[in-house]
Amino acid sequence: MYKLTFIFTLFSSISLSQTLIGKIDGASITLEDGNYEVIFQSESDYVSFYINHGAGKENGLEALKTYVFRLFDEKEGDYLLQFEHDSLLLVYDDNKVQMILWRQHDGDQRFVSKWFGKTDYLELLGEIAIKDKI
């Protein structure tokens, strides 16, 4: 009985330490252990990277939101965001934005996401929650 209680407590504490920010088909963002984990589907597999969860300018999720939505407003261009371990290139084309992860800031180690529209990013970045998509 004690083993069962211990296992339940362990799994409960693990699951409570992760907070879902947003999830869409092909990507998700969670807050875990003081950092945001971004996971997206690349051409062949899922890749993930971490961004800072600090205050003000140190909050990587706020930076990501700012530049993604700036691309939708400007309707052209790209932005390169440099996080602690990786860089993220955001590219706009035809009302969609794509994330390109440069592992260890190296453009040769590149992972490319699907193209996502503004509503997708609103949901992914936790700005809206769409329960039933039509």
Side-chain angles (χ1 to χ4, degrees):
M1 182 66 174
Y2 291 113
K3 288 181 183 179
L4 184 61
T5 303
F6 175 74
I7 291 171
F8 178 74
T9 305
L10 176 65
F11 285 118
S12 296
S13 66
I14 290 171
S15 65
L16 293 176
S17 68
Q18 189 178 56
T19 304
L20 180 66
I21 302 301
K23 182 175 181 168
I24 58 174
D25 183 33
S28 67
I29 299 177
T30 56
L31 176 60
E32 181 178 342
D33 298 329
N35 289 303
Y36 294 102
E37 181 180 24
V38 180
I39 302 171
F40 66 81
Q41 185 177 7
S42 69
E43 300 90 6
S44 60
D45 205 1
Y46 282 89
V47 296
S48 68
F49 65 98
Y50 292 92
I51 55 179
N52 250 358
H53 175 274
K57 292 183 179 183
E58 298 298 318
N59 188 327
L61 185 64
E62 290 303 316
L64 181 59
K65 286 180 188 181
T66 297
Y67 290 103
V68 162
F69 295 122
R70 187 177 285 179
L71 285 170
F72 284 112
D73 290 341
E74 295 172 353
K75 300 195 182 306
E76 66 179 358
D78 55 50
Y79 288 106
L80 180 64
L81 305 178
Q82 295 188 348
F83 299 111
E84 186 175 354
H85 299 289
D86 303 303
S87 295
L88 186 68
L89 179 63
L90 300 170
V91 179
Y92 179 90
D93 187 39
D94 194 29
N95 293 318
K96 295 189 178 197
V97 172
Q98 183 178 57
M99 296 182 284
I100 303 171
L101 176 66
W102 293 1
R103 184 73 69 207
Q104 297 295 317
H105 310 289
D106 181 358
D108 291 334
Q109 295 185 45
R110 187 175 316 168
F111 302 92
V112 180
S113 77
K114 296 178 182 179
W115 290 93
F116 299 113
K118 188 171 185 176
T119 303
D120 295 323
Y121 277 106
L122 285 167
E123 191 172 357
L124 178 64
L125 295 168
E127 296 296 307
I128 61 172
I130 299 176
K131 299 289 183 204
D132 299 314
K133 289 187 179 180
I134 297 175

